Amino acid sequence: MLDFTNKVVIVTGSARGIGRSLAEEFARCGAKIVITDLDQAMCEQVAREISPNAIGVKANVTAGADIDALMQATLDAFGRIDVVVNNAGITRDTLMIRMDEKDWDMVLDINLKGAFLVTKAAARIMMKQRSGRIVNISSIVGLSGNAGQANYSASKAGLIGLTKSSAKELCSRGITVNAVAPGFIETEMTHTLPEAVRKSFLERVLVSRPGTPKDVASAVLFLASDEAAYITGQVLAVDGGLTV
Ligand code: NAI
């Protein structure tokens, strides 16, 4: 088992789904966890359920003031920041010719600009520590594109560019930045997909089952661990072979 004893970990969008599972796995491996999402009461409840070493802090990743407050609350509670996982994300799917500008902006703002703002704020603290791990949750559609997801695919492709650029800027300060690109993972986000879309994804998964949040967590924890010190700027697909 990977050891995160005394490591301080922030996972954005961790009130449910993949983010919550990440937080649970980090806690199981000894980390101090910051649960952060859009609703304060929910963040606090999840923190209570997960670990005595967890706190809940509401933060909208698109709001600079919320992010500053999140960093400060983390330092006040735990004194440092070792790992940040940029997990918060949304979909607003429709064919590009029908896509509203506001749905484009909203998805790019939360999925991409949110990760930029959180990375920038956390990197300032990690640079002083001269150590840190940042893991961005991209998607295989950021590599391949997907009909009906022009906004989402662009945001997830953008995250890969952000990952590689920030890896180059931050490596000399002991900070690695990597991305995980999940395939089809069973969460509330994928429950809303039409049956035909689910079927077409699952037919192409070599491992013959949908992924679970825990499958994603295994990859993220590895990239966030001391054992991954020589890996930076990489994108690891966690997709059961869907993109092979
Ligand atoms: P989910 O919808 O279950 O959870 C997303 C969480 O992000 C929610 O708790 C939500 O409240 C939070 N969130 C949304 N907007 C936010 C904001 N502005 N600030 C802070 N938090 C916000 O989604 P799921 O499936 O757990 O996805 C997590 C990440 O994994 C997302 O980035 C998603 O794009 C990515 N992903 C998911 C896949 C899947 O098959 N479920 C596949 C590939 C990537």
Side-chain angles (χ1 to χ4, degrees), residues 10 66-76 81 84 118 121-122 125:
I10 299 175
D66 281 15
I67 293 166
D68 290 344
L70 168 67
M71 298 300 152
Q72 195 54 53
T74 305
L75 292 177
D76 291 348
I81 300 174
V84 166
V118 172
I125 295 156

Side-chain angles (χ1 to χ4, degrees), residues 12-19 36-38 59-62 86-91 110-111 137-140 152 156 181-190:
T12 67
S14 45
R16 69 178 201 200
I18 292 171
T36 180
D37 209 294
L38 292 172
N60 181 336
V61 293
T62 66
N86 284 307
N87 166 80
I90 62 160
T91 53
I110 294 174
N111 297 7
I137 307 299
S138 179
S139 165
I140 53 160
Y152 183 77
K156 295 298 185 180
F184 188 95
I185 311 296
E186 289 283 14
T187 67
E188 286 183 45
M189 186 178 269
T190 44

Side-chain angles (χ1 to χ4, degrees), residues 34-173:
V34 181
I35 303 295
T36 180
D37 209 294
L38 292 172
D39 182 87
Q40 179 63 31
M42 185 66 92
C43 291
E44 286 176 15
Q45 187 187 322
V46 172
R48 270 195 305 276
E49 287 167 8
I50 284 183
S51 161
N53 279 323
I55 59 166
V57 183
K58 178 210 163 236
N60 181 336
V61 293
T62 66
D66 281 15
I67 293 166
D68 290 344
L70 168 67
M71 298 300 152
Q72 195 54 53
T74 305
L75 292 177
D76 291 348
F78 299 129
R80 52 186 293 116
I81 300 174
D82 297 292
V83 178
V84 166
V85 184
N86 284 307
N87 166 80
I90 62 160
T91 53
R92 288 292 179 276
D93 298 350
T94 189
L95 291 176
M96 192 177 56
I97 53 163
R98 290 197 204 122
M99 192 173 283
D100 287 344
E101 211 177 312
K102 78 170 169 28
D103 283 342
W104 173 272
D105 287 344
M106 194 177 186
V107 169
L108 268 289
D109 258 15
I110 294 174
N111 297 7
L112 182 54
K113 187 176 154 193
F116 156 67
L117 292 173
V118 172
T119 297
K120 185 175 160 184
R124 287 205 177 108
I125 295 156
M126 290 174 170
M127 283 166 84
K128 285 191 198 136
Q129 296 170 176
R130 302 195 78 81
S131 70
R133 294 272 186 273
I134 298 170
V135 183
N136 294 323
I137 307 299
S138 179
S139 165
I140 53 160
V141 305
L143 297 165
S144 63
N146 197 26
Q149 291 195 308
N151 50 1
Y152 183 77
S153 306
S155 73
K156 295 298 185 180
L159 261 182
I160 292 172
L162 175 67
T163 300
K164 294 186 181 195
S165 300
S166 39
K168 287 185 173 175
E169 289 189 19
L170 299 174
C171 201
S172 63
R173 306 299 183 95

Side-chain angles (χ1 to χ4, degrees), residues 193-204:
L193 287 175
E195 193 47 42
V197 177
R198 285 174 63 89
K199 201 163 161 265
S200 107
F201 265 120
L202 291 176
E203 275 167 4
R204 290 178 283 139

